[in-house]
Amino acid sequence: MSHSIDDLIILMARLRDTEHGCPWDLKQTFATIAPYTLEEACEVAEAIEREDYDNLKEELGDLLFQVIFHAQMAKESELFDFADISEGLLTKLLRRHPHVFPDGSLESFASEEKLTPEQVKQKWQEIKADEKKQKGQKQPESAMPDDLPRTLPTLQRAEKIQAAAARLGFDWPETEPVFDKIHEELDEIRTAGNESQERVAEEVGDLLFACVNLARHLGVDADMSLRKACHKFDGRFRKMELLATTNDQVFEKLTLEEMENYWQQVKSE
């Protein structure tokens, strides 16, 4: 038997039924569910990172359930419901893709206008700015984004700040100067080591910011790249510990040279 999105909405409503529903679900609020929503989004990203597509299907379902949970609580408070979310999303996406839907309807699919990905991003920004203007929102005094969520990973925040500056032309036209900037920041960290810990921390921040800039110029997602690097290091380190145990050695009692030998052995696998 197959189920639809409507069945999920009905299930959620019954979980929140005041007489026969689930006590835990009934107790929840927007604020208490928000951390779970963020957690599920992170688990989706992790499944993609691992290329675990069977698990991705499940994690996407969990994330969808979060949306349905919030929609049900909003409906109870007479704020909006799932249909309002769907309608608002559809309307916004039709409006922001005039190169695909020329007259803003699903029926107008297959526009003759062909844009590059970069042109699409530029149009998207222009449409968003126009939407804010039509809503009567004050024109921002700065090109810097002021609507980034506080929970946004710092590497992604850095990339968005840099991209905003680049849209106004404040960016290197080529990648090579970014490499030079990273070398410059490394030298400044060495110099800062003779001053104070605060200066070192500041210069390390500048180095990380420059590394994000390099990733952006190379078309690489800095946050996802770091996630993969963490996962790779974690896996290799665990293998090192296992090899040491297999050889009847206590890993933490090994010399750095012995650890390095294990590291090279694991890397070569």
Side-chain angles (χ1 to χ4, degrees), residues 206-219:
D206 290 345
L207 173 62
L208 293 172
F209 193 79
C211 287
V212 172
N213 208 1
L214 176 62
R216 183 176 61 85
H217 272 265
L218 295 175

Side-chain angles (χ1 to χ4, degrees), residues 173-238:
E174 300 174 348
T175 305
E176 195 59 35
V178 189
F179 284 104
D180 296 336
K181 182 63 176 177
I182 289 176
H183 287 298
E184 176 188 324
E185 297 299 349
L186 281 169
D187 290 338
E188 291 183 1
I189 290 175
R190 291 190 181 96
T191 302
N194 299 321
E195 299 178 25
S196 66
Q197 191 65 19
E198 288 76 16
R199 282 279 293 120
V200 171
E202 178 183 350
E203 296 301 340
V204 168
D206 290 345
L207 173 62
L208 293 172
F209 193 79
C211 287
V212 172
N213 208 1
L214 176 62
R216 183 176 61 85
H217 272 265
L218 295 175
V220 172
D221 186 314
D223 189 70
M224 187 61 74
S225 295
L226 183 56
R227 282 175 178 270
K228 290 182 177 179
C230 290
H231 180 69
K232 180 170 64 177
F233 181 88
D234 180 273
R236 287 177 174 175
F237 195 89
R238 291 174 188 272

